[in-house]
Amino acid sequence: MKKIMEQMAEELSAAFEKAGYDPSYGKVTVSNRPDLCEYQCNGAMAGAKAYHKAPFMIADDVVAQLSDSRIFSRAEVVKPGFINLDVKPEFVAEYMNKMAEDEKLSVETAKNPKTIIIDYGGPNVAKPLHVGHLRSAIIGESIKRIGRFVGHKVIGDVHLGDWGLQMGLIITELKHRKPELVYFDDSFTGEYPAEAPFTISELEEIYPCASGKSKEDEAYRNEALEATHLLQQGKPGYMALWNHIMNVSVTDLKRNYANLNVDFDLWKKESDAQPYIPDMVEDMKKRGFAYEDQGALVVDVKEESDTKEIPPCMLLKSDGASLYTTTDLATIVERMKLFQPDEILYVVDKRQELHFIQVFRCARKTGLVNPETKLSFLGFGTMNGKDGKPFKTREGGVMRLENLIADIDEEMYRKIVENRSVKDKDAKDTAKIVGLSAIKYGDLSNQATKDYIFDVDRFTSFEGNTGPYILYTIVRIKSILNRYVQEGGDLSTGKILPAVNASEKNLMLQLSGFAAMVENAFEEKAPHKICAYIYEVSNAFNSFYHETKILSEEDQAQKESFLQLLQLTRRVLETSIDLLGFSAPDRM
């Protein structure tokens, strides 16, 4: 199904051609002055130089060709040469009906579907998720959903940090606390216990304790470094402990991500990339890319066009240990081998940009990826408190993600109970659904690359540009539709008729922009564009609702038309919030 703007542009292009001008000037945009017109074409302004003609003369010639337009009810020239356009209500209604019949609501499936891996989440095992993990998880999840909706094969990978010093620290602390455990007995040859010697809460206490000790006690740190080395060499007892750490930690991570309605296709880990490192490093050395510099093994990645210093990409430290850089490169090797992706997108804190410049350049220079494989970095900004500093607890510590979610749910529960709109037994469940919308919409409505203020009071408000406002609009539509059915009405009959007032036409025009918006949101990896769109649709619907008697309309055909438009509006809004990663309750 062709987008509404494409159909307009086709008619404008034909008019330019009939008037003797290049049809490429027939581009149409939404009017930046909605008080004057609905759409506009500025092609005559662009063509003036090429044709040595005043733009208003070109515009006059074009408008003369639109006198019997199928689409436009008004085409008017405004000096110095803009063409102001209004659309026929009949054409818009026809488009609405076709859109309602389309399972994808007018969004065309990609003609050349790509395989895209999104690396998002990225938590370290044995540590609780905190607010710093929020943005990667929900931005990545939304981009994954948008990509799938437009027809690409999108694979989400959590990419767990599981192979660094943190493991050595945990093993060392466990050895100090419980030296009698069989994992530390080098003479033990039996089967290791199936049950972990710690719970998730104990594990989450052990790591910070060990980390603190290692900063103050050099001998302790050296012991942890040795434990890390032995683990990476495959020491049986340490490998058994590592498996326990992974099982306990990943189970908890999955629970926390499920609470955010975030899920991953792959639960790959840094350790999965380890087998690829030796051959990768050896190959880079053989082909002359990798060389020693002060004992470390590096690859030059600077380019002549660089305006700032880009240091060499380090593969191995002087003691032979690998780094994040090495693991990320080896992970690219693994992904190319297993999936042959067309694109690998990393959704990571923007402060890691230099790291990814080095990794991407090294991967390209050494041929780890095909020339046409796209490596992309979406660096997101910081989530800050009202003081403009990174979001903290009242005590000044880093807030656990599950505590933030609980706080938001509690605030939503309080507001829902105050409204007395939902029975007590349902209020808790409803609060969770609305609370998730507050968190996700509050974050995703900001451009990903920018820092933003996480304001609980504003994000949980039922008014303004918030998740709860969007859900409230959807619930209002559901309520009207349900009442009609309860009164014996049939929602499967009727079709959308031309708009009877300006607010209805405005709602239709907003809905008609859905396909272009989704495609643009995917192209630019920009969930905030979906948020901006559904806020406009919600405002347009609420204006229409307040100005129009829907259920009390006496003309049955007109009433059915209104209800079909409501169903289409609900579908567009519900599809959009699903792309953002949350849903709407039936009541709130």
Side-chain angles (χ1 to χ4, degrees), residues 414-425:
R414 187 183 64 76
K415 289 185 176 181
I416 288 166
V417 169
E418 276 179 10
N419 287 349
R420 299 180 184 279
S421 54
V422 180
K423 290 175 185 170
D424 281 352
K425 68 182 177 67

Side-chain angles (χ1 to χ4, degrees), residues 87-263:
V87 186
K88 287 181 176 177
E90 296 78 12
F91 170 72
V92 183
E94 180 190 325
Y95 189 86
M96 290 292 98
N97 284 305
K98 285 180 182 169
M99 189 173 164
E101 289 165 12
D102 187 342
E103 191 185 345
K104 297 283 286 286
L105 295 164
S106 76
V107 174
E108 289 186 359
T109 301
K111 291 183 177 65
N112 300 303
K114 292 182 175 150
T115 297
I116 302 165
I117 293 177
I118 306 186
D119 185 318
Y120 67 107
N124 288 321
V125 298
K127 298 183 191 176
L129 289 178
H130 56 74
V131 291
H133 294 109
L134 181 70
R135 301 214 70 192
S136 179
I138 64 178
I139 295 168
E141 179 70 18
S142 180
I143 294 170
K144 179 186 77 178
R145 289 170 179 237
I146 300 166
R148 286 179 178 171
F149 190 74
V150 299
H152 298 291
K153 180 185 179 183
V154 188
I155 302 163
D157 184 3
V158 70
H159 193 65
L160 295 169
D162 73 323
W163 206 236
L165 177 60
Q166 82 218 51
M167 290 299 165
L169 287 166
I170 293 165
I171 290 168
T172 301
E173 184 59 23
L174 269 172
K175 191 174 183 179
H176 281 228
R177 293 184 184 191
K178 299 178 179 179
E180 73 284 357
L181 291 174
V182 292
Y183 310 96
F184 307 116
D185 181 356
D186 291 341
S187 64
F188 182 77
T189 55
E191 279 198 20
Y192 291 102
E195 197 72 30
F198 42 72
T199 62
I200 184 64
S201 53
E202 287 169 337
L203 190 58
E204 289 173 353
E205 179 271 324
I206 287 168
Y207 174 72
C209 173
S211 179
K213 282 184 185 178
S214 73
K215 288 168 186 162
E216 296 167 6
D217 185 340
E218 195 175 340
Y220 186 94
R221 180 176 174 78
N222 288 335
E223 194 181 337
L225 286 166
E226 177 61 16
T228 306
H229 177 69
L230 290 170
L231 170 67
Q232 294 179 355
Q233 296 299 308
K235 184 178 167 90
Y238 289 8
M239 286 299 294
L241 274 175
W242 174 81
N243 278 313
H244 286 317
I245 294 167
M246 292 305 298
N247 291 336
V248 169
S249 192
V250 169
T251 300
D252 190 62
L253 286 170
K254 285 183 176 178
R255 179 183 63 81
N256 276 288
Y257 279 125
N259 288 338
L260 273 178
N261 202 14
V262 168
D263 73 290

Side-chain angles (χ1 to χ4, degrees), residues 336 340-343 360 363-375:
M336 293 304 295
Q340 282 293 310
D342 299 288
E343 179 177 2
F360 292 173
R364 291 220 173 280
K365 184 175 183 176
T366 60
L368 300 187
V369 292
N370 302 328
E372 64 276 10
T373 304
K374 192 174 175 186
L375 297 172

